Amino acid sequence: MVKNMTTFTEPTYSPGAVATITDAPPEHLRDWRRRDLLNLIGTAEENGRWKYSLRDVVAIWIGLRLSQHGRAMPLATAFNYGAGLAETVINRFLARKVGIPTTGKRYAVTLADGDTKDGKTYGITTLRVADLAELAGRDFDMLTVLDCERLAATIPPQIAGFLLVAAENEYEAMGLHRWTEGLDD
């Protein structure tokens, strides 16, 4: 649902604005970009400056939360997960706050489930599942579970405010006519 919503995907936020919203200083954004950690996040303008969408802001927040600033998960991995989960987390947040039907499955899981060749194990599978019971019967050595519902429930107030304003701006396309019913009376 969010993919087609310009308010969520239009690159309008400067690195300074992102810093204010996510507590990630602009110098960190520059450093992460230089180290190729934000490959899937942000849009380069013709003048070489970067702009970020609200979806990108959520992706950065998710990446910081998952990595615990580099202590729990490598930043590159965390930002890649953030970029991949941002839309699902936004949708789940909006479902919680304004009753938009939930899209996407609750859990994103990564399984180390490869074949052993020459004494080394190869192969990782990433899945989206609604219930962890869906993993029953699968063979894997390691499992990483990311809970999109929990992430949506813990979005900080400063980001939540921007998401709610964006939803209001897209109310017709999102089927939220009831938000404005009676306001013209």
Side-chain angles (χ1 to χ4, degrees):
M1 170 185 15
V2 172
K3 286 181 199 176
N4 301 322
M5 302 298 156
T6 57
T7 306
F8 295 96
T9 59
E10 186 176 320
T12 56
Y13 296 93
S14 69
V18 172
T20 300
I21 299 167
T22 65
D23 294 327
E27 56 273 10
H28 287 180
L29 291 171
R30 281 191 296 275
D31 179 54
W32 296 332
R33 176 115 6 245
R34 188 174 49 255
R35 292 170 40 206
D36 289 329
L37 302 179
L38 299 176
N39 291 331
L40 303 172
I41 300 171
T43 303
E45 295 185 313
E46 289 180 16
N47 62 8
R49 296 182 187 258
W50 285 85
K51 288 282 193 175
Y52 299 88
S53 67
L54 187 51
R55 183 200 156 284
D56 293 329
V57 168
V58 172
I60 290 168
W61 172 77
I62 291 170
L64 290 173
R65 183 171 172 96
L66 294 178
S67 74
Q68 299 295 308
H69 298 279
R71 291 185 300 271
M73 175 185 289
L75 278 169
T77 303
F79 286 134
N80 283 340
Y81 277 128
L85 298 176
E87 291 169 10
T88 301
V89 171
I90 291 169
N91 285 329
R92 288 195 165 274
F93 171 82
L94 294 174
R96 295 172 64 79
K97 294 294 185 181
V98 296
I100 295 171
T102 303
T103 59
K105 297 192 175 181
R106 177 175 181 161
Y107 301 101
V109 297
T110 304
L111 308 169
D113 60 354
D115 297 324
T116 302
K117 295 178 184 171
D118 302 326
K120 298 180 182 178
T121 302
Y122 300 92
I124 293 190
T125 301
T126 300
L127 304 167
R128 299 280 182 113
V129 296
D131 187 326
L132 295 177
E134 293 178 41
L135 301 175
R138 289 193 73 106
D139 292 327
F140 55 88
D141 300 318
M142 181 186 74
L143 170 70
T144 301
V145 178
L146 304 171
D147 186 347
C148 295
E149 185 64 28
R150 169 89 173 131
L151 289 167
T154 58
I155 286 179
Q158 65 271 23
I159 296 174
F162 284 99
L163 290 172
L164 291 173
V165 168
E168 287 178 29
N169 291 339
E170 297 284 350
Y171 75 93
E172 263 186 49
M174 298 171 86
L176 299 176
H177 307 291
R178 63 182 168 77
W179 276 22
T180 58
E181 287 176 5
L183 293 181
D184 294 332
D185 296 339

